[in-house]
Amino acid sequence: MTVQPQGRRDDLLRLFSHAHWANEEILKALQDSEVVSGKLMALFSHLLTAEKVWLERLNKRDSTVPSIWPMYSLEDCELLLQENAAGYRLFITDLKDGDLDSLLTYRSSKGVEFTSAVSDILHHVSLHGSYHRGQIATYLRQGGLEPVNTDFILFARLDAE
């Protein structure tokens, strides 16, 4: 069975809707916490910065950042979260037939050149975010707080309501 390009774009839009929802859930949990550890802020800041770096690469813009592990405030995270969501929505919506399979050459944060398919980059961004949201959930639990459920299936259930 061959997946049509429009279907692939729709799937990616849903995947990034999940990422945005999950990031908002993490943000709310951090905003509701009385004390937010530096480790939690470092992970969330990194997750959002990495999303931004990849978005800049995808748009063939300068993706250089002072640090891939910055320490942002919750207010800065909220702004970046919204910018990233809008940027990915626009990028994915504007994809033309064949764009997902096109190759993009970029430099890593260490300056090493790589070439990857656009679809692989988009999947990486989504999976990278899930990985770090899982770490954040672990640190919340270790801090005596209830971790946030950001599972895709929960998003899908809520989306279906």
Side-chain angles (χ1 to χ4, degrees):
M1 175 170 133
T2 303
V3 177
Q4 297 303 312
Q6 185 60 44
R8 291 174 72 194
R9 280 194 298 269
D10 290 346
D11 287 346
L12 286 166
L13 282 169
R14 188 152 190 237
L15 197 61
F16 277 84
S17 290
H18 165 258
H20 176 64
W21 168 82
N23 286 344
E24 283 187 321
E25 291 297 304
I26 294 292
L27 178 67
K28 284 184 229 168
L30 296 178
Q31 288 170 330
D32 291 344
S33 297
E34 291 182 22
V35 178
V36 179
S37 74
K39 188 63 176 173
L40 284 169
M41 288 309 302
L43 284 167
F44 197 45
S45 297
H46 167 71
L47 183 163
L48 296 171
T49 298
E51 285 182 357
K52 182 66 172 182
V53 165
W54 282 109
L55 183 60
E56 295 303 301
R57 289 174 182 159
L58 287 164
N59 283 302
K60 299 177 182 167
R61 297 187 295 240
D62 181 17
S63 64
T64 307
V65 292
S67 172
I68 197 70
W69 285 93
M71 186 64 78
Y72 293 139
S73 67
L74 284 173
E75 294 79 17
D76 291 335
C77 286
E78 185 171 14
L79 289 173
L80 189 52
L81 185 157
Q82 298 304 332
E83 287 174 17
N84 288 347
Y88 278 102
R89 193 176 318 99
L90 180 63
F91 179 81
I92 294 167
T93 300
D94 286 349
L95 287 170
K96 307 288 184 264
D97 291 346
D99 286 350
L100 286 169
D101 297 319
S102 67
L103 298 177
L104 178 70
T105 300
Y106 57 91
R107 291 201 175 276
S108 71
S109 59
K110 295 181 180 176
V112 179
E113 189 174 281
F114 293 97
T115 300
S116 301
V118 168
S119 63
D120 289 343
I121 292 169
L122 290 169
H123 283 93
H124 166 74
V125 172
S126 173
L127 293 168
H128 178 262
S130 291
Y131 171 75
H132 286 304
R133 285 188 294 272
Q135 288 180 306
I136 290 168
T138 298
Y139 282 111
L140 286 169
R141 183 176 301 284
Q142 288 174 350
L145 302 170
E146 186 64 28
V148 182
N149 182 351
T150 59
D151 288 345
F152 181 83
I153 198 66
L154 175 59
F155 166 79
R157 288 179 198 137
L158 295 171
D159 194 42
E161 291 178 353

